PDB file of all heavy atoms in Angstrom:
ATOM      1  N   LEU M  52     -22.418  16.205  -5.695  1.00 86.00           N
ATOM      2  CA  LEU M  52     -21.787  15.243  -4.796  1.00 86.00           C
ATOM      3  C   LEU M  52     -20.567  14.578  -5.416  1.00 86.00           C
ATOM      4  O   LEU M  52     -19.686  14.104  -4.685  1.00 86.00           O
ATOM      5  CB  LEU M  52     -22.824  14.182  -4.405  1.00 86.00           C
ATOM      6  CG  LEU M  52     -22.452  13.164  -3.330  1.00 86.00           C
ATOM      7  CD1 LEU M  52     -22.073  13.862  -2.042  1.00 86.00           C
ATOM      8  CD2 LEU M  52     -23.592  12.196  -3.108  1.00 86.00           C
ATOM      9  N   VAL M  53     -20.505  14.542  -6.738  1.00 86.00           N
ATOM     10  CA  VAL M  53     -19.416  13.836  -7.425  1.00 86.00           C
ATOM     11  C   VAL M  53     -18.025  14.291  -6.984  1.00 86.00           C
ATOM     12  O   VAL M  53     -17.158  13.457  -6.720  1.00 86.00           O
ATOM     13  CB  VAL M  53     -19.572  13.969  -8.956  1.00 86.00           C
ATOM     14  CG1 VAL M  53     -18.297  13.540  -9.673  1.00 86.00           C
ATOM     15  CG2 VAL M  53     -20.740  13.114  -9.431  1.00 86.00           C
ATOM     16  N   PRO M  54     -17.752  15.606  -6.869  1.00 85.00           N
ATOM     17  CA  PRO M  54     -16.411  15.999  -6.429  1.00 85.00           C
ATOM     18  C   PRO M  54     -16.033  15.438  -5.066  1.00 85.00           C
ATOM     19  O   PRO M  54     -14.886  15.041  -4.846  1.00 85.00           O
ATOM     20  CB  PRO M  54     -16.492  17.530  -6.395  1.00 85.00           C
ATOM     21  CG  PRO M  54     -17.566  17.869  -7.364  1.00 85.00           C
ATOM     22  CD  PRO M  54     -18.568  16.779  -7.235  1.00 85.00           C
ATOM     23  N   GLY M  55     -16.977  15.388  -4.125  1.00 89.00           N
ATOM     24  CA  GLY M  55     -16.693  14.829  -2.816  1.00 89.00           C
ATOM     25  C   GLY M  55     -16.404  13.344  -2.886  1.00 89.00           C
ATOM     26  O   GLY M  55     -15.488  12.837  -2.215  1.00 89.00           O
ATOM     27  N   ILE M  56     -17.175  12.622  -3.698  1.00 91.00           N
ATOM     28  CA  ILE M  56     -16.929  11.190  -3.865  1.00 91.00           C
ATOM     29  C   ILE M  56     -15.572  10.956  -4.511  1.00 91.00           C
ATOM     30  O   ILE M  56     -14.818  10.059  -4.115  1.00 91.00           O
ATOM     31  CB  ILE M  56     -18.054  10.555  -4.714  1.00 91.00           C
ATOM     32  CG1 ILE M  56     -19.396  10.654  -3.986  1.00 91.00           C
ATOM     33  CG2 ILE M  56     -17.734   9.102  -5.040  1.00 91.00           C
ATOM     34  CD1 ILE M  56     -20.567  10.122  -4.792  1.00 91.00           C
ATOM     35  N   VAL M  57     -15.245  11.776  -5.510  1.00 91.00           N
ATOM     36  CA  VAL M  57     -13.956  11.650  -6.189  1.00 91.00           C
ATOM     37  C   VAL M  57     -12.815  11.887  -5.208  1.00 91.00           C
ATOM     38  O   VAL M  57     -11.831  11.127  -5.173  1.00 91.00           O
ATOM     39  CB  VAL M  57     -13.867  12.634  -7.365  1.00 91.00           C
ATOM     40  CG1 VAL M  57     -12.431  12.730  -7.880  1.00 91.00           C
ATOM     41  CG2 VAL M  57     -14.798  12.197  -8.489  1.00 91.00           C
ATOM     42  N   ALA M  58     -12.934  12.931  -4.395  1.00 89.00           N
ATOM     43  CA  ALA M  58     -11.884  13.228  -3.422  1.00 89.00           C
ATOM     44  C   ALA M  58     -11.706  12.074  -2.447  1.00 89.00           C
ATOM     45  O   ALA M  58     -10.576  11.642  -2.168  1.00 89.00           O
ATOM     46  CB  ALA M  58     -12.223  14.516  -2.672  1.00 89.00           C
ATOM     47  N   GLY M  59     -12.819  11.549  -1.909  1.00 92.00           N
ATOM     48  CA  GLY M  59     -12.727  10.430  -0.981  1.00 92.00           C
ATOM     49  C   GLY M  59     -12.161   9.186  -1.634  1.00 92.00           C
ATOM     50  O   GLY M  59     -11.351   8.470  -1.030  1.00 92.00           O
ATOM     51  N   ALA M  60     -12.563   8.930  -2.883  1.00 93.00           N
ATOM     52  CA  ALA M  60     -12.065   7.760  -3.591  1.00 93.00           C
ATOM     53  C   ALA M  60     -10.570   7.866  -3.855  1.00 93.00           C
ATOM     54  O   ALA M  60      -9.838   6.872  -3.753  1.00 93.00           O
ATOM     55  CB  ALA M  60     -12.825   7.579  -4.904  1.00 93.00           C
ATOM     56  N   ILE M  61     -10.100   9.060  -4.198  1.00 92.00           N
ATOM     57  CA  ILE M  61      -8.666   9.256  -4.416  1.00 92.00           C
ATOM     58  C   ILE M  61      -7.893   8.955  -3.140  1.00 92.00           C
ATOM     59  O   ILE M  61      -6.857   8.282  -3.151  1.00 92.00           O
ATOM     60  CB  ILE M  61      -8.380  10.689  -4.896  1.00 92.00           C
ATOM     61  CG1 ILE M  61      -8.923  10.888  -6.314  1.00 92.00           C
ATOM     62  CG2 ILE M  61      -6.885  10.987  -4.864  1.00 92.00           C
ATOM     63  CD1 ILE M  61      -8.846  12.321  -6.796  1.00 92.00           C
ATOM     64  N   PHE M  62      -8.406   9.451  -2.016  1.00 91.00           N
ATOM     65  CA  PHE M  62      -7.744   9.195  -0.729  1.00 91.00           C
ATOM     66  C   PHE M  62      -7.657   7.696  -0.454  1.00 91.00           C
ATOM     67  O   PHE M  62      -6.568   7.159  -0.206  1.00 91.00           O
ATOM     68  CB  PHE M  62      -8.505   9.879   0.411  1.00 91.00           C
ATOM     69  CG  PHE M  62      -8.199  11.336   0.560  1.00 91.00           C
ATOM     70  CD1 PHE M  62      -9.233  12.255   0.656  1.00 91.00           C
ATOM     71  CD2 PHE M  62      -6.901  11.794   0.617  1.00 91.00           C
ATOM     72  CE1 PHE M  62      -8.972  13.606   0.791  1.00 91.00           C
ATOM     73  CE2 PHE M  62      -6.626  13.143   0.750  1.00 91.00           C
ATOM     74  CZ  PHE M  62      -7.662  14.048   0.845  1.00 91.00           C
ATOM     75  N   SER M  63      -8.802   7.008  -0.467  1.00 94.00           N
ATOM     76  CA  SER M  63      -8.814   5.604  -0.074  1.00 94.00           C
ATOM     77  C   SER M  63      -8.031   4.736  -1.056  1.00 94.00           C
ATOM     78  O   SER M  63      -7.297   3.832  -0.645  1.00 94.00           O
ATOM     79  CB  SER M  63     -10.260   5.095   0.042  1.00 94.00           C
ATOM     80  OG  SER M  63     -10.935   5.201  -1.195  1.00 94.00           O
ATOM     81  N   TYR M  64      -8.151   5.006  -2.360  1.00 95.00           N
ATOM     82  CA  TYR M  64      -7.477   4.176  -3.352  1.00 95.00           C
ATOM     83  C   TYR M  64      -5.958   4.345  -3.282  1.00 95.00           C
ATOM     84  O   TYR M  64      -5.219   3.357  -3.222  1.00 95.00           O
ATOM     85  CB  TYR M  64      -7.976   4.523  -4.758  1.00 95.00           C
ATOM     86  CG  TYR M  64      -7.686   3.450  -5.777  1.00 95.00           C
ATOM     87  CD1 TYR M  64      -8.594   2.423  -5.995  1.00 95.00           C
ATOM     88  CD2 TYR M  64      -6.509   3.446  -6.514  1.00 95.00           C
ATOM     89  CE1 TYR M  64      -8.341   1.423  -6.922  1.00 95.00           C
ATOM     90  CE2 TYR M  64      -6.241   2.450  -7.436  1.00 95.00           C
ATOM     91  CZ  TYR M  64      -7.165   1.443  -7.635  1.00 95.00           C
ATOM     92  OH  TYR M  64      -6.892   0.441  -8.550  1.00 95.00           O
ATOM     93  N   SER M  65      -5.501   5.589  -3.260  1.00 92.00           N
ATOM     94  CA  SER M  65      -4.053   5.825  -3.260  1.00 92.00           C
ATOM     95  C   SER M  65      -3.418   5.385  -1.946  1.00 92.00           C
ATOM     96  O   SER M  65      -2.319   4.813  -1.947  1.00 92.00           O
ATOM     97  CB  SER M  65      -3.761   7.304  -3.533  1.00 92.00           C
ATOM     98  OG  SER M  65      -4.367   8.117  -2.551  1.00 92.00           O
ATOM     99  N   LEU M  66      -4.088   5.634  -0.823  1.00 93.00           N
ATOM    100  CA  LEU M  66      -3.534   5.226   0.471  1.00 93.00           C
ATOM    101  C   LEU M  66      -3.467   3.713   0.588  1.00 93.00           C
ATOM    102  O   LEU M  66      -2.515   3.166   1.165  1.00 93.00           O
ATOM    103  CB  LEU M  66      -4.373   5.811   1.604  1.00 93.00           C
ATOM    104  CG  LEU M  66      -4.279   7.328   1.800  1.00 93.00           C
ATOM    105  CD1 LEU M  66      -5.305   7.810   2.816  1.00 93.00           C
ATOM    106  CD2 LEU M  66      -2.875   7.728   2.241  1.00 93.00           C
ATOM    107  N   THR M  67      -4.452   3.014   0.056  1.00 95.00           N
ATOM    108  CA  THR M  67      -4.429   1.550   0.108  1.00 95.00           C
ATOM    109  C   THR M  67      -3.314   0.986  -0.759  1.00 95.00           C
ATOM    110  O   THR M  67      -2.630   0.037  -0.364  1.00 95.00           O
ATOM    111  CB  THR M  67      -5.783   0.974  -0.360  1.00 95.00           C
ATOM    112  OG1 THR M  67      -6.825   1.475   0.476  1.00 95.00           O
ATOM    113  CG2 THR M  67      -5.775  -0.541  -0.286  1.00 95.00           C
ATOM    114  N   MET M  68      -3.117   1.548  -1.940  1.00 93.00           N
ATOM    115  CA  MET M  68      -2.065   1.044  -2.824  1.00 93.00           C
ATOM    116  C   MET M  68      -0.684   1.167  -2.194  1.00 93.00           C
ATOM    117  O   MET M  68       0.176   0.316  -2.401  1.00 93.00           O
ATOM    118  CB  MET M  68      -2.093   1.805  -4.158  1.00 93.00           C
ATOM    119  CG  MET M  68      -3.127   1.318  -5.123  1.00 93.00           C
ATOM    120  SD  MET M  68      -2.775   1.872  -6.804  1.00 93.00           S
ATOM    121  CE  MET M  68      -2.766   3.638  -6.586  1.00 93.00           C
ATOM    122  N   GLY M  69      -0.457   2.215  -1.418  1.00 90.00           N
ATOM    123  CA  GLY M  69       0.864   2.430  -0.855  1.00 90.00           C
ATOM    124  C   GLY M  69       1.077   1.805   0.507  1.00 90.00           C
ATOM    125  O   GLY M  69       2.180   1.863   1.045  1.00 90.00           O
ATOM    126  N   ASP M  70       0.040   1.191   1.074  1.00 92.00           N
ATOM    127  CA  ASP M  70       0.146   0.664   2.432  1.00 92.00           C
ATOM    128  C   ASP M  70       0.803  -0.716   2.444  1.00 92.00           C
ATOM    129  O   ASP M  70       0.620  -1.503   1.521  1.00 92.00           O
ATOM    130  CB  ASP M  70      -1.248   0.577   3.052  1.00 92.00           C
ATOM    131  CG  ASP M  70      -1.197   0.151   4.503  1.00 92.00           C
ATOM    132  OD1 ASP M  70      -0.943   1.010   5.348  1.00 92.00           O
ATOM    133  OD2 ASP M  70      -1.387  -1.050   4.777  1.00 92.00           O
ATOM    134  N   TYR M  71       1.580  -0.992   3.483  1.00 91.00           N
ATOM    135  CA  TYR M  71       2.156  -2.326   3.645  1.00 91.00           C
ATOM    136  C   TYR M  71       2.068  -2.816   5.087  1.00 91.00           C
ATOM    137  O   TYR M  71       2.211  -4.020   5.353  1.00 91.00           O
ATOM    138  CB  TYR M  71       3.631  -2.323   3.209  1.00 91.00           C
ATOM    139  CG  TYR M  71       4.571  -1.613   4.156  1.00 91.00           C
ATOM    140  CD1 TYR M  71       5.269  -2.303   5.129  1.00 91.00           C
ATOM    141  CD2 TYR M  71       4.758  -0.241   4.074  1.00 91.00           C
ATOM    142  CE1 TYR M  71       6.125  -1.647   6.001  1.00 91.00           C
ATOM    143  CE2 TYR M  71       5.615   0.420   4.932  1.00 91.00           C
ATOM    144  CZ  TYR M  71       6.295  -0.286   5.894  1.00 91.00           C
ATOM    145  OH  TYR M  71       7.141   0.363   6.756  1.00 91.00           O
ATOM    146  N   ILE M  72       1.795  -1.914   6.031  1.00 92.00           N
ATOM    147  CA  ILE M  72       1.769  -2.302   7.441  1.00 92.00           C
ATOM    148  C   ILE M  72       0.565  -3.194   7.724  1.00 92.00           C
ATOM    149  O   ILE M  72       0.684  -4.237   8.381  1.00 92.00           O
ATOM    150  CB  ILE M  72       1.752  -1.051   8.338  1.00 92.00           C
ATOM    151  CG1 ILE M  72       3.010  -0.229   8.102  1.00 92.00           C
ATOM    152  CG2 ILE M  72       1.647  -1.434   9.803  1.00 92.00           C
ATOM    153  CD1 ILE M  72       3.050   1.079   8.867  1.00 92.00           C
ATOM    154  N   THR M  73      -0.613  -2.798   7.235  1.00 94.00           N
ATOM    155  CA  THR M  73      -1.815  -3.592   7.473  1.00 94.00           C
ATOM    156  C   THR M  73      -1.663  -4.996   6.909  1.00 94.00           C
ATOM    157  O   THR M  73      -2.080  -5.983   7.531  1.00 94.00           O
ATOM    158  CB  THR M  73      -3.041  -2.908   6.843  1.00 94.00           C
ATOM    159  OG1 THR M  73      -3.268  -1.656   7.494  1.00 94.00           O
ATOM    160  CG2 THR M  73      -4.276  -3.769   6.986  1.00 94.00           C
ATOM    161  N   VAL M  74      -1.065  -5.109   5.734  1.00 94.00           N
ATOM    162  CA  VAL M  74      -0.884  -6.422   5.111  1.00 94.00           C
ATOM    163  C   VAL M  74       0.018  -7.290   5.975  1.00 94.00           C
ATOM    164  O   VAL M  74      -0.221  -8.497   6.140  1.00 94.00           O
ATOM    165  CB  VAL M  74      -0.290  -6.274   3.697  1.00 94.00           C
ATOM    166  CG1 VAL M  74      -0.236  -7.615   3.003  1.00 94.00           C
ATOM    167  CG2 VAL M  74      -1.114  -5.300   2.882  1.00 94.00           C
ATOM    168  N   ASN M  75       1.049  -6.707   6.554  1.00 93.00           N
ATOM    169  CA  ASN M  75       1.935  -7.464   7.436  1.00 93.00           C
ATOM    170  C   ASN M  75       1.227  -7.918   8.708  1.00 93.00           C
ATOM    171  O   ASN M  75       1.549  -8.964   9.271  1.00 93.00           O
ATOM    172  CB  ASN M  75       3.157  -6.612   7.825  1.00 93.00           C
ATOM    173  CG  ASN M  75       4.156  -6.495   6.692  1.00 93.00           C
ATOM    174  OD1 ASN M  75       4.197  -7.334   5.798  1.00 93.00           O
ATOM    175  ND2 ASN M  75       4.959  -5.449   6.718  1.00 93.00           N
ATOM    176  N   ILE M  76       0.251  -7.138   9.171  1.00 94.00           N
ATOM    177  CA  ILE M  76      -0.395  -7.430  10.452  1.00 94.00           C
ATOM    178  C   ILE M  76      -1.547  -8.413  10.289  1.00 94.00           C
ATOM    179  O   ILE M  76      -1.683  -9.354  11.071  1.00 94.00           O
ATOM    180  CB  ILE M  76      -0.891  -6.121  11.103  1.00 94.00           C
ATOM    181  CG1 ILE M  76       0.318  -5.242  11.475  1.00 94.00           C
ATOM    182  CG2 ILE M  76      -1.735  -6.409  12.348  1.00 94.00           C
ATOM    183  CD1 ILE M  76      -0.062  -3.880  12.004  1.00 94.00           C
ATOM    184  N   VAL M  77      -2.414  -8.217   9.283  1.00 94.00           N
ATOM    185  CA  VAL M  77      -3.605  -9.071   9.147  1.00 94.00           C
ATOM    186  C   VAL M  77      -3.666  -9.790   7.805  1.00 94.00           C
ATOM    187  O   VAL M  77      -4.630 -10.509   7.544  1.00 94.00           O
ATOM    188  CB  VAL M  77      -4.895  -8.234   9.340  1.00 94.00           C
ATOM    189  CG1 VAL M  77      -4.930  -7.604  10.706  1.00 94.00           C
ATOM    190  CG2 VAL M  77      -5.049  -7.186   8.239  1.00 94.00           C
ATOM    191  N   GLY M  78      -2.684  -9.596   6.946  1.00 92.00           N
ATOM    192  CA  GLY M  78      -2.756 -10.166   5.604  1.00 92.00           C
ATOM    193  C   GLY M  78      -2.325 -11.597   5.471  1.00 92.00           C
ATOM    194  O   GLY M  78      -2.448 -12.178   4.395  1.00 92.00           O
ATOM    195  N   GLY M  79      -1.798 -12.190   6.538  1.00 87.00           N
ATOM    196  CA  GLY M  79      -1.318 -13.559   6.437  1.00 87.00           C
ATOM    197  C   GLY M  79      -0.164 -13.664   5.464  1.00 87.00           C
ATOM    198  O   GLY M  79       0.815 -12.917   5.547  1.00 87.00           O
ATOM    199  N   ALA M  80      -0.281 -14.592   4.509  1.00 84.00           N
ATOM    200  CA  ALA M  80       0.784 -14.787   3.517  1.00 84.00           C
ATOM    201  C   ALA M  80       0.636 -13.878   2.309  1.00 84.00           C
ATOM    202  O   ALA M  80       1.478 -13.909   1.411  1.00 84.00           O
ATOM    203  CB  ALA M  80       0.798 -16.247   3.062  1.00 84.00           C
ATOM    204  N   SER M  81      -0.414 -13.073   2.279  1.00 87.00           N
ATOM    205  CA  SER M  81      -0.650 -12.207   1.123  1.00 87.00           C
ATOM    206  C   SER M  81       0.383 -11.083   1.072  1.00 87.00           C
ATOM    207  O   SER M  81       0.861 -10.612   2.104  1.00 87.00           O
ATOM    208  CB  SER M  81      -2.057 -11.604   1.191  1.00 87.00           C
ATOM    209  OG  SER M  81      -3.036 -12.619   1.248  1.00 87.00           O
ATOM    210  N   GLN M  82       0.700 -10.666  -0.129  1.00 90.00           N
ATOM    211  CA  GLN M  82       1.620  -9.552  -0.347  1.00 90.00           C
ATOM    212  C   GLN M  82       0.995  -8.531  -1.277  1.00 90.00           C
ATOM    213  O   GLN M  82       0.212  -8.873  -2.161  1.00 90.00           O
ATOM    214  CB  GLN M  82       2.950 -10.040  -0.928  1.00 90.00           C
ATOM    215  CG  GLN M  82       3.873 -10.708   0.064  1.00 90.00           C
ATOM    216  CD  GLN M  82       5.241 -10.956  -0.534  1.00 90.00           C
ATOM    217  OE1 GLN M  82       5.376 -11.328  -1.698  1.00 90.00           O
ATOM    218  NE2 GLN M  82       6.281 -10.740   0.258  1.00 90.00           N
ATOM    219  N   MET M  83       1.375  -7.263  -1.043  1.00 94.00           N
ATOM    220  CA  MET M  83       0.961  -6.185  -1.928  1.00 94.00           C
ATOM    221  C   MET M  83       2.204  -5.401  -2.322  1.00 94.00           C
ATOM    222  O   MET M  83       3.316  -5.696  -1.867  1.00 94.00           O
ATOM    223  CB  MET M  83      -0.082  -5.303  -1.239  1.00 94.00           C
ATOM    224  CG  MET M  83      -1.412  -6.028  -1.027  1.00 94.00           C
ATOM    225  SD  MET M  83      -2.624  -5.134  -0.025  1.00 94.00           S
ATOM    226  CE  MET M  83      -2.823  -3.627  -0.979  1.00 94.00           C
ATOM    227  N   LEU M  84       2.027  -4.408  -3.181  1.00 94.00           N
ATOM    228  CA  LEU M  84       3.182  -3.679  -3.707  1.00 94.00           C
ATOM    229  C   LEU M  84       4.012  -3.048  -2.602  1.00 94.00           C
ATOM    230  O   LEU M  84       5.248  -3.027  -2.670  1.00 94.00           O
ATOM    231  CB  LEU M  84       2.700  -2.595  -4.685  1.00 94.00           C
ATOM    232  CG  LEU M  84       2.150  -3.101  -6.021  1.00 94.00           C
ATOM    233  CD1 LEU M  84       1.569  -1.950  -6.829  1.00 94.00           C
ATOM    234  CD2 LEU M  84       3.242  -3.812  -6.820  1.00 94.00           C
ATOM    235  N   GLY M  85       3.344  -2.512  -1.578  1.00 92.00           N
ATOM    236  CA  GLY M  85       4.078  -1.898  -0.474  1.00 92.00           C
ATOM    237  C   GLY M  85       5.017  -2.866   0.213  1.00 92.00           C
ATOM    238  O   GLY M  85       6.127  -2.497   0.612  1.00 92.00           O
ATOM    239  N   ASN M  86       4.588  -4.135   0.346  1.00 92.00           N
ATOM    240  CA  ASN M  86       5.446  -5.142   0.958  1.00 92.00           C
ATOM    241  C   ASN M  86       6.688  -5.408   0.114  1.00 92.00           C
ATOM    242  O   ASN M  86       7.797  -5.568   0.645  1.00 92.00           O
ATOM    243  CB  ASN M  86       4.674  -6.453   1.135  1.00 92.00           C
ATOM    244  CG  ASN M  86       3.427  -6.278   1.966  1.00 92.00           C
ATOM    245  OD1 ASN M  86       2.348  -6.139   1.418  1.00 92.00           O
ATOM    246  ND2 ASN M  86       3.570  -6.247   3.277  1.00 92.00           N
ATOM    247  N   LEU M  87       6.488  -5.459  -1.204  1.00 93.00           N
ATOM    248  CA  LEU M  87       7.635  -5.701  -2.091  1.00 93.00           C
ATOM    249  C   LEU M  87       8.623  -4.544  -2.038  1.00 93.00           C
ATOM    250  O   LEU M  87       9.842  -4.756  -2.074  1.00 93.00           O
ATOM    251  CB  LEU M  87       7.146  -5.915  -3.522  1.00 93.00           C
ATOM    252  CG  LEU M  87       6.234  -7.121  -3.754  1.00 93.00           C
ATOM    253  CD1 LEU M  87       5.893  -7.260  -5.231  1.00 93.00           C
ATOM    254  CD2 LEU M  87       6.882  -8.397  -3.234  1.00 93.00           C
ATOM    255  N   VAL M  88       8.120  -3.318  -1.956  1.00 94.00           N
ATOM    256  CA  VAL M  88       9.007  -2.161  -1.822  1.00 94.00           C
ATOM    257  C   VAL M  88       9.796  -2.261  -0.532  1.00 94.00           C
ATOM    258  O   VAL M  88      11.021  -2.056  -0.500  1.00 94.00           O
ATOM    259  CB  VAL M  88       8.197  -0.852  -1.871  1.00 94.00           C
ATOM    260  CG1 VAL M  88       9.102   0.349  -1.561  1.00 94.00           C
ATOM    261  CG2 VAL M  88       7.542  -0.673  -3.230  1.00 94.00           C
ATOM    262  N   PHE M  89       9.121  -2.580   0.555  1.00 92.00           N
ATOM    263  CA  PHE M  89       9.769  -2.675   1.868  1.00 92.00           C
ATOM    264  C   PHE M  89      10.849  -3.752   1.876  1.00 92.00           C
ATOM    265  O   PHE M  89      11.962  -3.532   2.371  1.00 92.00           O
ATOM    266  CB  PHE M  89       8.713  -2.967   2.940  1.00 92.00           C
ATOM    267  CG  PHE M  89       9.273  -3.161   4.315  1.00 92.00           C
ATOM    268  CD1 PHE M  89       9.690  -2.076   5.065  1.00 92.00           C
ATOM    269  CD2 PHE M  89       9.382  -4.436   4.858  1.00 92.00           C
ATOM    270  CE1 PHE M  89      10.217  -2.254   6.335  1.00 92.00           C
ATOM    271  CE2 PHE M  89       9.905  -4.614   6.127  1.00 92.00           C
ATOM    272  CZ  PHE M  89      10.319  -3.520   6.867  1.00 92.00           C
ATOM    273  N   VAL M  90      10.534  -4.919   1.328  1.00 91.00           N
ATOM    274  CA  VAL M  90      11.488  -6.028   1.339  1.00 91.00           C
ATOM    275  C   VAL M  90      12.701  -5.709   0.475  1.00 91.00           C
ATOM    276  O   VAL M  90      13.848  -5.936   0.885  1.00 91.00           O
ATOM    277  CB  VAL M  90      10.798  -7.324   0.854  1.00 91.00           C
ATOM    278  CG1 VAL M  90      11.837  -8.415   0.615  1.00 91.00           C
ATOM    279  CG2 VAL M  90       9.774  -7.786   1.867  1.00 91.00           C
ATOM    280  N   ASN M  91      12.474  -5.171  -0.721  1.00 91.00           N
ATOM    281  CA  ASN M  91      13.599  -4.890  -1.614  1.00 91.00           C
ATOM    282  C   ASN M  91      14.450  -3.725  -1.139  1.00 91.00           C
ATOM    283  O   ASN M  91      15.659  -3.697  -1.384  1.00 91.00           O
ATOM    284  CB  ASN M  91      13.083  -4.611  -3.028  1.00 91.00           C
ATOM    285  CG  ASN M  91      12.724  -5.881  -3.777  1.00 91.00           C
ATOM    286  OD1 ASN M  91      13.584  -6.590  -4.277  1.00 91.00           O
ATOM    287  ND2 ASN M  91      11.431  -6.177  -3.838  1.00 91.00           N
ATOM    288  N   ALA M  92      13.829  -2.758  -0.463  1.00 88.00           N
ATOM    289  CA  ALA M  92      14.609  -1.636   0.062  1.00 88.00           C
ATOM    290  C   ALA M  92      15.346  -2.014   1.335  1.00 88.00           C
ATOM    291  O   ALA M  92      16.293  -1.325   1.727  1.00 88.00           O
ATOM    292  CB  ALA M  92      13.689  -0.449   0.346  1.00 88.00           C
ATOM    293  N   GLY M  93      14.942  -3.108   1.985  1.00 81.00           N
ATOM    294  CA  GLY M  93      15.558  -3.509   3.243  1.00 81.00           C
ATOM    295  C   GLY M  93      16.357  -4.783   3.117  1.00 81.00           C
ATOM    296  O   GLY M  93      17.531  -4.776   2.746  1.00 81.00           O
ATOM    297  N   ALA M  94      15.708  -5.912   3.404  1.00 76.00           N
ATOM    298  CA  ALA M  94      16.412  -7.189   3.482  1.00 76.00           C
ATOM    299  C   ALA M  94      17.071  -7.578   2.161  1.00 76.00           C
ATOM    300  O   ALA M  94      18.192  -8.088   2.140  1.00 76.00           O
ATOM    301  CB  ALA M  94      15.434  -8.286   3.924  1.00 76.00           C
ATOM    302  N   ALA M  95      16.378  -7.365   1.038  1.00 76.00           N
ATOM    303  CA  ALA M  95      16.940  -7.758  -0.256  1.00 76.00           C
ATOM    304  C   ALA M  95      18.030  -6.808  -0.739  1.00 76.00           C
ATOM    305  O   ALA M  95      18.785  -7.146  -1.653  1.00 76.00           O
ATOM    306  CB  ALA M  95      15.832  -7.842  -1.306  1.00 76.00           C
ATOM    307  N   ASN M  96      18.110  -5.626  -0.168  1.00 83.00           N
ATOM    308  CA  ASN M  96      19.138  -4.632  -0.506  1.00 83.00           C
ATOM    309  C   ASN M  96      19.174  -4.346  -2.004  1.00 83.00           C
ATOM    310  O   ASN M  96      20.232  -4.272  -2.622  1.00 83.00           O
ATOM    311  CB  ASN M  96      20.523  -5.115  -0.030  1.00 83.00           C
ATOM    312  CG  ASN M  96      21.549  -3.989  -0.043  1.00 83.00           C
ATOM    313  OD1 ASN M  96      21.203  -2.826   0.123  1.00 83.00           O
ATOM    314  ND2 ASN M  96      22.804  -4.345  -0.244  1.00 83.00           N
ATOM    315  N   ASN M  97      17.987  -4.187  -2.577  1.00 91.00           N
ATOM    316  CA  ASN M  97      17.881  -3.877  -4.008  1.00 91.00           C
ATOM    317  C   ASN M  97      17.047  -2.608  -4.144  1.00 91.00           C
ATOM    318  O   ASN M  97      15.873  -2.655  -4.518  1.00 91.00           O
ATOM    319  CB  ASN M  97      17.248  -5.049  -4.759  1.00 91.00           C
ATOM    320  CG  ASN M  97      17.400  -4.912  -6.263  1.00 91.00           C
ATOM    321  OD1 ASN M  97      17.596  -3.816  -6.778  1.00 91.00           O
ATOM    322  ND2 ASN M  97      17.310  -6.019  -6.973  1.00 91.00           N
ATOM    323  N   LEU M  98      17.668  -1.481  -3.848  1.00 91.00           N
ATOM    324  CA  LEU M  98      16.962  -0.202  -3.879  1.00 91.00           C
ATOM    325  C   LEU M  98      16.448   0.155  -5.271  1.00 91.00           C
ATOM    326  O   LEU M  98      15.329   0.671  -5.395  1.00 91.00           O
ATOM    327  CB  LEU M  98      17.869   0.908  -3.339  1.00 91.00           C
ATOM    328  CG  LEU M  98      17.212   2.263  -3.097  1.00 91.00           C
ATOM    329  CD1 LEU M  98      16.075   2.149  -2.089  1.00 91.00           C
ATOM    330  CD2 LEU M  98      18.249   3.283  -2.621  1.00 91.00           C
TER     331      LEU M  98
END
């Protein structure tokens, strides 16, 4: 079962780290790395 758990864990962990839409919708004032990437690539104009 370990390979299946590992595969699922890789999916959920990596997808969560890169997500920023959910944080914008239900995260309130909280920020995650995806939000910082979005802000700096857009409004802050610091690619």
Side-chain angles (χ1 to χ4, degrees):
L52 188 58
V53 166
I56 296 177
V57 167
I61 291 172
F62 279 131
S63 61
Y64 199 89
S65 59
L66 290 172
T67 301
M68 279 198 301
D70 185 81
Y71 72 95
I72 299 176
T73 296
V74 186
N75 285 337
I76 294 175
V77 300
S81 302
Q82 284 189 320
M83 292 172 59
L84 289 174
N86 302 98
L87 298 183
V88 173
F89 177 76
V90 169
N91 281 282
N96 194 29
N97 193 338
L98 189 60

